[in-house]
Amino acid sequence: MSFLQDLSFFSMGMWSIGVGALGAAALALLLANTDVFLSKSQKATLEYLEDIDLKTLEKEPRTFKAKELWEKNGAVIMAVRRPGCFLCREEAADLSSLKPKLDELGVPLYAVVKEQIRTEVQDFQPYFKGEIFLDEKKKFYGPQRRKMMFMGFVRLGVWYNFFRARNGGFSGNLEGEGFILGGVFVVGSGKQGILLEHREKEFGDKVNPVSVLEAARKIQPQTLAAEAK
């Protein structure tokens, strides 16, 4: 009888442990799909962006201050998380679809990458219709640099983004650093300021193209801004 009781208690104990482990796993999954553990973004200031050093991707690169990108006509700028990422390529294609309308507004479209590995940037260019520059110090990914590590792979939103991009025909590779999150900026001309700042909160968290275009329409070319004064 004692043996049967011990066996019964053992079975109940194992069952309790199993239920507890299952409950802990469910709680962890639930928390991973909230914003509780996401890296908090810190908004950039115009002064911060202006002072960023960028490089051209030519054989003999030129280093210049980022403010050159938007000084006269403003700019739409994508900080690319990873050129080989199919989610980044999808967002690049979305932004590039706006280029005819941006051209009408006289607003250029640019991208910055944080590294240049083999042909990754070259392979990204069919998806992105603007000029691309190198941000070696990863300043466009700050002021507070944020990362999403492997938690991203248990977030339902990320899996939704994966399927959306795959269904859209996008593919990619695993080359390069892909944990530092990117974003999109719309910056006005001169000192007009940052008109839109979208910080990627998880892999594949795209900016809304409609919001980008609305912000771009608010840009005053430098000549008009001067006349307004």
Side-chain angles (χ1 to χ4, degrees), residues 90-117:
E90 180 194 28
E91 183 169 28
D94 280 357
L95 289 172
S96 294
S97 71
L98 300 177
K99 196 166 190 310
K101 292 181 180 178
L102 292 175
D103 288 344
E104 288 177 11
L105 296 170
V107 176
L109 175 65
Y110 300 118
V112 296
V113 294
K114 49 180 149 47
E115 55 188 356
Q116 188 177 13
I117 300 176

Side-chain angles (χ1 to χ4, degrees), residues 36 40 48 75 90 111 122 130-131 148 162 184 196 215-216 218 220 226:
V36 173
K40 306 302 179 187
Y48 172 84
E90 180 194 28
Q122 182 181 336
E131 288 186 75
M148 171 160 279
F162 282 169
V184 173
L196 180 145
K218 296 176 183 176
Q220 296 180 332

Side-chain angles (χ1 to χ4, degrees), residues 71-73 189 220-229:
E71 205 160 25
K72 292 183 179 179
N73 298 301
S189 63
Q220 296 180 332
Q222 190 70 336
T223 51
L224 293 179
E227 290 173 5
K229 293 179 182 178

Side-chain angles (χ1 to χ4, degrees), residues 7-176:
L7 184 60
S8 176
F9 284 136
F10 176 77
S11 299
M12 288 178 64
M14 292 303 293
W15 181 81
S16 297
I17 291 171
V19 170
L22 187 62
L27 179 61
L29 184 62
L30 179 64
L31 289 174
N33 280 280
T34 68
D35 294 347
V36 173
F37 296 115
L38 293 183
S39 300
K40 306 302 179 187
S41 63
Q42 178 183 341
K43 286 191 175 295
T45 64
L46 182 63
E47 291 71 26
Y48 172 84
L49 294 181
E50 285 179 331
D51 199 45
I52 294 174
D53 289 322
L54 298 177
K55 281 186 177 180
T56 60
L57 299 178
E58 303 156 342
K59 288 185 178 179
E60 296 183 7
R62 177 178 75 91
T63 301
F64 64 97
K65 293 296 182 184
K67 67 179 181 180
E68 286 187 25
L69 298 182
W70 59 78
E71 205 160 25
K72 292 183 179 179
N73 298 301
V76 175
I77 306 164
M78 178 183 181
V80 182
R81 181 166 51 81
R82 192 170 63 80
C85 170
F86 69 104
L87 296 171
C88 298
R89 291 175 173 183
E90 180 194 28
E91 183 169 28
D94 280 357
L95 289 172
S96 294
S97 71
L98 300 177
K99 196 166 190 310
K101 292 181 180 178
L102 292 175
D103 288 344
E104 288 177 11
L105 296 170
V107 176
L109 175 65
Y110 300 118
V112 296
V113 294
K114 49 180 149 47
E115 55 188 356
Q116 188 177 13
I117 300 176
R118 290 181 284 279
T119 62
E120 289 304 293
V121 175
Q122 182 181 336
D123 295 341
F124 181 70
Q125 287 179 318
Y127 304 92
F128 190 79
K129 303 305 180 185
E131 288 186 75
I132 303 174
F133 304 98
L134 179 62
D135 176 13
E136 288 182 315
K137 295 181 180 178
K138 306 176 181 65
K139 293 286 190 176
F140 262 97
Y141 304 83
Q144 181 178 323
R145 202 175 299 166
R146 300 163 305 117
K147 287 187 176 183
M148 171 160 279
M149 305 300 284
F150 296 104
M151 183 181 74
F153 297 102
V154 297
R155 287 180 65 86
L156 298 178
V158 171
W159 283 101
Y160 170 80
N161 297 337
F162 282 169
F163 288 121
R164 181 197 64 216
R166 287 294 186 197
N167 289 337
F170 294 92
S171 60
N173 58 53
L174 298 175
E175 294 285 338

